[in-house]
Amino acid sequence: MTGHQPRPIGPTALAELRATDDVGRPCRPYTATEGGEPLRCCLRGGEPGERIALVSYAPLRRWAATTGASPGAYDEQGPVFIHAEACAGPDPQRAGYPFTRAGALRTVRRYDARGHIVGGRLLELPAEPGKGFDAALDEAFADPEVVLAHVRAVEYGCFHFEVRRD
């Protein structure tokens, strides 16, 4: 069980990304050979043989388009893996935070209603990664200005998932 709800990339954004990504490149699907790619559509690792794509995604820009926020220079995009075709999304029976491995480094970036960064935290995932995420996200949302948090991998800078204030 998690104290916060990790959100995958939404179906509308996924449909658009499967045509053209957020920097204007056409989607180029391929067949996964080894698996393990962190799929942001269903918040699980890919399996060998699945059709996937690596696309550029701008999560803050897409959130801002639905809220009227104006992130300005805080807008950024980066690589994410998605299924090349529509999938069922996250398994509702699978609780917890995705893409956890004790010792992995993550950033938890905090954004206000304008889409501006109002803080962040480096997180080394502990032996019980869920507890580490809960603590970092509790800390983030203790600030009443924070409406959104993005979790990213430090190694590649890629977006993993977002959490919104309830």
Side-chain angles (χ1 to χ4, degrees):
M1 187 69 180
T2 61
H4 301 275
Q5 183 61 48
R7 298 172 61 105
I9 298 174
T12 301
L14 287 167
E16 293 168 356
L17 292 168
R18 289 179 179 121
T20 306
D21 72 11
D22 284 346
V23 294
R25 286 187 297 259
C27 184
R28 294 197 185 351
Y30 65 96
T31 301
T33 55
E34 295 181 30
E37 295 85 352
L39 298 167
R40 283 26 168 258
C41 48
C42 53
L43 301 180
R44 68 165 176 81
E47 299 288 335
E50 287 187 299
R51 296 284 294 159
I52 62 174
L54 181 61
V55 297
S56 187
Y57 176 59
L60 193 61
R61 180 184 317 157
R62 287 184 174 270
W63 170 83
T66 66
T67 64
S70 180
Y74 296 104
D75 178 35
E76 61 184 312
Q77 70 272 333
V80 296
F81 290 99
I82 61 173
H83 276 115
E85 291 86 28
C87 70
D91 179 352
Q93 301 301 315
R94 185 176 175 183
Y97 296 100
F99 320 124
T100 59
R101 177 181 38 79
L105 297 175
R106 302 289 183 256
T107 61
V108 178
R109 293 188 188 157
R110 308 166 189 177
Y111 298 92
D112 65 14
R114 299 171 300 166
H116 293 190
I117 292 177
V118 292
R121 183 171 194 258
L122 177 63
L123 172 65
E124 181 176 351
L125 295 180
E128 294 184 56
K131 289 183 179 182
F133 275 125
D134 280 342
L137 291 164
D138 285 347
E139 177 185 289
F141 290 109
D143 180 343
E145 277 193 88
V146 174
V147 299
L148 178 72
H150 284 175
V151 174
R152 293 179 175 267
V154 171
E155 299 91 338
Y156 298 101
C158 53
F159 171 85
H160 274 216
F161 62 89
E162 76 178 30
V163 175
R164 297 181 183 179
R165 183 178 293 282
D166 295 332

